[in-house]
Amino acid sequence: MEWVEKFYDQQYKWMDLNDEEMLNMQQELLQKLERLADQPGKKILELGGGKGYFAVAAAKQGYKVTVIELVDEAARYIRQLAEEQNVSERLTVISGDFYTAEIPDVFDIVCYWDGFGIGSDADQQKLLNRIQDWLKPGGIALIDVYTPWFWAKAAGREMRIAENVVRKYGFDAMGCRMLDTWRNEEDAAEQATQSLRCYSPADFSLLIRNLDLTIVHCEPGGAMDYESGVYTEEAPLHEALSYLVKLKVNG
């Protein structure tokens, strides 16, 4: 998985985001989290925090948040943003790999937004086993999972991210993986691709068949119509680009 750190490092450098706008946009995710939570827990673990917008927004809302981020520069950005937003005392940032990092705590909610599928099926099972161990009794995990049907159709689509940066989707049909390539048109060396395994809900169920986890809720996300350029916030599962699974430990 050598691509992982390179891709996200490049992505974070190329994306020109407004912090206040991005923090405000997290309210929808927070409302979803609160709707799906089974108990009024306040301890969250976020996997793959990016620049920290969800983690900081959750901390501003009163949650005690631990976030783990692979890219060192992004982890530093989260700490800086937390200081600027006066939530450092409610936010713990771990710079590391969530497949191996020691996180000696348990949480009411473990969330992984928009990124599940790095590595092999065995890697996903390893991570899900760790998530199981990070949950308090009665806690839940919320995980965004990409669908194979949407990304198979999206293959070949291109979009401009910045003046010289283009993003192109592909699909590995044999491996059932979404491919997402970002490249600098003026520098061929500045190109990075992420590869995420896509799962139908039935396939995801097979991932957890030997784990002590159960899917208790599954809801589709949105869909993009590339012909019209219109994004639909709520799409039928058979058209959605992703779905959200809610997991609980058995018993």
Side-chain angles (χ1 to χ4, degrees):
M1 293 188 290
E2 295 179 358
W3 65 264
V4 178
E5 189 166 1
K6 177 184 177 182
F7 176 83
Y8 289 115
D9 184 48
Q10 286 284 60
Q11 184 186 53
Y12 299 151
K13 288 176 181 176
W14 283 336
M15 294 180 73
D16 184 18
L17 303 175
N18 179 282
D19 289 346
E20 287 300 326
E21 289 180 2
M22 294 303 298
L23 287 170
N24 290 335
M25 288 174 62
Q26 305 310 305
Q27 288 306 307
E28 182 178 344
L29 268 185
L30 285 166
Q31 290 169 10
K32 183 180 294 187
L33 180 146
E34 290 170 357
R35 171 171 57 84
L36 294 172
D38 294 327
Q39 55 192 24
K42 284 293 185 179
K43 288 182 67 178
I44 295 175
L45 171 63
E46 185 190 8
L47 306 178
K51 288 192 170 184
Y53 296 119
F54 175 80
V56 171
K60 289 182 69 174
Q61 201 148 311
Y63 289 95
K64 185 175 181 182
V65 183
T66 298
V67 57
I68 181 164
E69 169 54 43
L70 179 66
V71 179
D72 289 339
E73 184 60 35
R76 285 192 289 272
Y77 196 91
I78 299 172
R79 295 186 185 98
Q80 176 185 322
L81 187 62
E83 290 181 6
E84 293 171 355
Q85 297 293 321
N86 299 311
V87 294
S88 294
E89 73 282 359
R90 291 196 297 275
L91 183 58
T92 300
V93 183
I94 299 173
S95 182
D97 183 342
F98 50 58
Y99 286 111
T100 57
E102 291 299 321
I103 304 177
D105 204 351
V106 289
F107 303 87
D108 300 299
I109 301 170
V110 176
C111 53
Y112 190 2
W113 312 118
D114 191 26
F116 183 81
I118 294 171
S120 65
D121 290 346
D123 291 319
Q124 321 314 336
Q125 290 172 322
K126 178 180 179 180
L127 178 59
L128 288 162
N129 189 60
R130 302 199 84 198
I131 289 172
Q132 174 180 291
D133 293 339
W134 289 325
L135 287 173
K136 286 183 178 181
I140 64 168
L142 299 173
I143 303 174
D144 282 330
V145 184
Y146 281 178
T147 66
W149 45 82
F150 179 89
W151 295 105
K153 292 189 296 183
R157 298 290 181 178
E158 281 193 352
M159 64 199 74
R160 187 162 298 280
I161 302 301
E163 183 178 355
N164 300 315
V165 179
V166 173
R167 180 181 200 176
K168 184 174 182 178
Y169 293 128
F171 190 74
D172 170 8
M174 183 64 72
C176 199
R177 306 187 71 87
M178 177 271 244
L179 306 175
D180 180 13
T181 300
W182 295 46
R183 72 179 190 277
N184 185 334
E185 293 178 308
E186 295 185 345
D187 186 347
E190 286 195 0
Q191 175 170 305
T193 299
Q194 72 168 330
S195 168
L196 298 180
R197 174 74 158 90
C198 301
Y199 296 92
S200 71
D203 290 334
F204 189 91
S205 295
L206 292 175
L207 278 181
I208 62 173
R209 67 189 183 280
N210 295 322
L211 301 177
D212 198 23
L213 291 169
T214 298
I215 298 174
V216 294
H217 180 71
C218 176
E219 64 180 54
M224 182 71 186
D225 183 333
Y226 288 103
E227 300 302 327
S228 66
V230 175
Y231 179 75
T232 303
E233 293 285 348
E234 297 180 7
L237 180 58
H238 69 279
E239 297 177 359
L241 65 88
S242 68
Y243 57 91
L244 177 69
V245 288
K246 173 183 172 181
L247 304 173
K248 292 190 72 172
V249 177
N250 299 330

